Amino acid sequence: MRYRSQSVAYWYFAVAMCLFGLQLVFGLLSASKYLGPDPLLDFLPFDKTKAIHTNLLIVWVLTGFMGATYYVVPEESRGEIYSIKLAYAQLVAWTLMGVTAIVGYMFGWTAGNKMLEQPFPLKIVIVVVMLMFLFNILMTIKRAGRWTVTEGVLVAGLVLAAVLYLPALIEYDNYTVSIFYRWWTIHLWVEGVWEMIQGGLLAYLLIRLSGADREVMEKWLYVIVGLVFLAGILGTAHHYYWVGVPYYWLPIGGLFSALEPLALLGMAMYAYFAMRRSGLSHPNSLAVHWTIGSAVFTVFGAGLLGFAHTWPSVNKWTHGTLVTAMHGHGAFYGAYAMIVMAIISYTLPSLTENRKVEGNNIGYWAFWMQVMGMFGMTLSFGTAGIGQVYLERILGLGYLDTQLKLQVHFLMLIATASVFAIGAAFFIWDFFRNAPKSISDSRISEFGPVIDSNNGGLLYQKR
Amino acid sequence: MTKRQGRLFFIICTFLTAAAFIGMTIHSHSRFAELTNEDKLTPAVISGKDIWHKNNCINCHTLLGEGGYYAPDLTKITQQRGTPYLTAFLKDPSQFYSEEKHRRLMPNPNLGDTEISDVIAFLDWVSHIDNQGWPPRPIIVSGTTIPGTDVGQPATQASVSSDPVAQGEALFRSSPPACNACHSVVPGTNLAGPTLAGLVTRATAIIASPEYKGEAKTPAEYIRESITHPSAYLVPGAMYSANNQSFMPDNFITDLEPGQIDSLVAYLETLK
Ligand code: HEM
Ligand code: HEM
Ligand SMILES: [Fe+2]
């Protein structure tokens, strides 16, 4: 940590970790309802637990992105954050919004649109908070008068993420039109601008962890983001196949979304080649694990498992089954949960007291149990989904009777999810084990980023 | 390649695909009205859509294949179930399904009468959207179409509603053995038994034909006879009967009350 104001990132990460833990509680609750009967049926039925599960996911990942940005931008632009007060005010408003949303869902206050369940007033709060955030970041860059491609991609991703939330504010009488624009937010987020954010963070981490040459890394960052958009924008059509749009979206969606894994593969190769140049010599090898892990798991969860059902003639049978849940978990985890945990692992030694840069055993257990657990969960959802497609969609067995046949997969899901949850609990515990460095503490970390990077000039800058 | 070329690649990719995407979006808007029957977007349908959202139905069910995977897809539900059945179901789902048997149950949504009819109007509007023929094969809520297996055992005895058509529809799924284990009510979908869609029209023709040797004079009597004496007339088809013996069970005459057969007939008469 070279700039004092970077320490606000700690509090964003802390909120993110709390919400992450809570997300898993609601995930486990939802999964246990598959086994049924449900003792909470009249009080907290599946629809509420699922909405809370997915909303907490989106909120904590975004909180992690914001924290990461508050950490990265001062370092890249070489200047303190424009207003620390604003950064804290923003975090408080954001957290209050999140908590209100969750309590609201429990009592049936919902807009009832998948993943955009936030009631209208809360959507407005989200927009306002995003504006506070972007203002603060852009002013930081402006005041410093300097920006790098890495942070440019990161910040552009965040600006576009805010812009793409706007269609969600509008209601349509025609359900098909409403679905059409829901994907402008959801798909263009996860397969477009959020991948920009992931790419920016990946470049930041790789440059520091491997010492790879910035010019080369940033050149390829452009190419990767170019590929993301080349495939991702028209790839939106893979959600349009069966919702009441003209026929031509089918071949377009099939073709372009099938190209999407290319960009993800590019990202993994990017990480691989960067690390190969320098070897795994960086002391924070836990952060290296999470960084490479994110790039690799994205190829698996998003690239491979997304590709598996993206062609129209396959999607026709798998659409809206547990196969989608398989992919949703693998993709979200690899691309977004893991990149946030990578940046947390990387920054934690400089944000907290008395932490060894090398990490500790708990940290590695957290990594491996999560990765194994999530792999098992995608297998469980995947086998359940294939069973569902075969029995219900192809043979025509009733939905309810099919679900009864899938009980063993649901047991497997809960078992592997428990391994995952223990890994996550280790991570969260490890996070909170050491106290944060206070903001008035002007000591500059002896470990952390300062010794981490070796890319000319930037490193040894004096404050 | 230089950094500048990398940036150029990024800019060109983004602008070209974004332009194509927006172009197709504009064109799609010119087609939505026709594809989704916007002329049938009545106030009842729109209010039904709001009720659908307000009650968070989407986080259990999928509609057009999007939503939660905890409950059956409802895209074509109104083409599989009549309004009387759906009305009675939405008044109290627990009368139609048992949590002990299926391990999950829809909680009572506590909707008023107009809310129920609005949400059904909405689902019916959705079922007519021209969506490339998805799903490729009907998705059925419960019941088996795999004869000879133990799947889809009879559900608990249903019946709350006093409407015979709704009762008949519930019985259709639950009478031991469940009729829908063998019959679909979707045109053209023959399972172990023939589809029962358009039964009345067919019955009229059958009664009038010289092959018919049974005692029925009206379609209703024909349907009753088909249930109580399945072999009185055999629908042609090698997989439906052998040696003048129908494959349809003949236990209904003894296992069902006369009133239950009445409701089954009332329900089957409504299948157009
Ligand atoms: C990081 C990237 C990705 C994330 C986080 C992600 C996440 C998700 C989620 C959450 C859904 C369910 C959405 C809903 O129904 O509301 C979904 C659906 C889908 N995704 Fe992805 N995805 C990613 C990348 C990809 C890629 C690269 C492909 C294709 C190669 C793909 C193909 C699909 C398809 C075809 C569906 C629709 C499933 C259905 O018909 O039910 N995804 N994705
Ligand atoms: C303890 C671990 C977890 C359990 C038991 C769990 C369980 C579930 C269940 C039961 C659903 C509902 C699926 C349905 O509609 O039937 C769900 C949805 C979802 N979960 Fe999880 N989950 C867990 C962790 C996670 C994590 C770590 C992520 C992402 C990083 C995640 C992302 C999602 C997403 C995106 C959906 C929506 C999928 C869709 O509707 O297509 N979950 N989860
Ligand atoms: Fe997508």
Side-chain angles (χ1 to χ4, degrees), chain B residues 4 26 28 46 76 91-92 234 244 250 267:
Chain B
R4 173 182 291 259
I26 294 169
S28 295
I46 294 168
K76 302 286 175 187
K91 278 216 172 80
D92 189 357
L234 295 173
N244 289 328
D250 59 4
Y267 165 60

Side-chain angles (χ1 to χ4, degrees), chain B residues 16-237:
Chain B
L16 281 185
T17 51
F21 186 60
I22 290 177
M24 284 189 288
T25 297
I26 294 169
H27 177 264
S28 295
H29 269 278
S30 71
R31 301 270 285 113
F32 282 142
E34 181 196 334
L35 291 166
T36 64
N37 308 304
E38 264 182 7
D39 51 322
K40 303 222 171 66
L41 213 53
T42 59
V45 171
I46 294 168
S47 135
K49 187 208 71 174
D50 293 340
I51 292 158
W52 171 262
H53 284 313
K54 208 173 125 242
N55 288 278
N56 208 19
C57 314
I58 196 73
N59 270 306
C60 283
H61 290 281
T62 51
L63 189 59
L64 295 166
E66 291 183 8
Y69 315 119
Y70 178 76
D73 186 82
L74 297 179
T75 309
K76 302 286 175 187
I77 194 73
T78 61
Q79 293 178 14
Q80 292 168 10
R81 317 275 201 210
T83 306
Y85 171 86
L86 288 176
T87 309
F89 171 82
L90 289 172
K91 278 216 172 80
D92 189 357
S94 70
Q95 300 291 341
F96 289 82
Y97 293 92
S98 134
E99 208 182 0
E100 274 61 53
K101 177 175 185 303
H102 284 120
R103 292 173 169 268
R104 56 181 84 172
L105 179 66
M106 171 157 155
N108 192 331
N110 296 316
L111 302 176
D113 288 346
T114 33
E115 288 181 308
I116 290 180
S117 69
D118 286 354
V119 86
I120 294 173
F122 167 65
L123 291 173
D124 193 46
W125 173 81
V126 168
S127 81
H128 289 100
I129 291 174
D130 175 0
N131 68 339
Q132 321 291 347
W134 190 88
R137 179 192 198 307
I139 300 171
I140 289 158
V141 177
S142 84
T144 173
T145 57
I146 311 174
T149 65
D150 61 352
V151 276
Q153 284 297 297
T156 44
Q157 280 296 331
S159 219
V160 248
S161 160
S162 51
D163 177 5
V165 174
Q167 274 183 340
E169 185 161 355
L171 264 171
F172 191 74
R173 289 185 291 95
S174 61
S175 61
C179 317
N180 77 335
C182 301
H183 293 291
S184 88
V185 295
V186 181
T189 306
N190 296 319
L191 308 172
T195 175
L196 298 183
L199 188 56
V200 175
T201 330
R202 208 147 11 93
T204 318
I206 289 170
I207 299 167
S209 80
E211 279 87 13
Y212 181 68
K213 302 282 185 296
E215 288 171 14
K217 304 275 179 295
T218 64
E221 288 175 22
Y222 171 83
I223 296 172
R224 180 180 303 275
E225 190 188 55
S226 299
I227 299 171
T228 54
H229 301 95
S231 301
Y233 171 78
L234 295 173
V235 177

Side-chain angles (χ1 to χ4, degrees), chain A residues 58 114-116 182-191:
Chain A
I58 295 174
K114 190 180 177 186
M115 296 194 196
L116 299 174
R182 184 173 84 87
W183 292 115
W184 281 38
T185 305
I186 302 299
H187 169 96
L188 290 178
W189 266 4
V190 299
E191 286 155 69

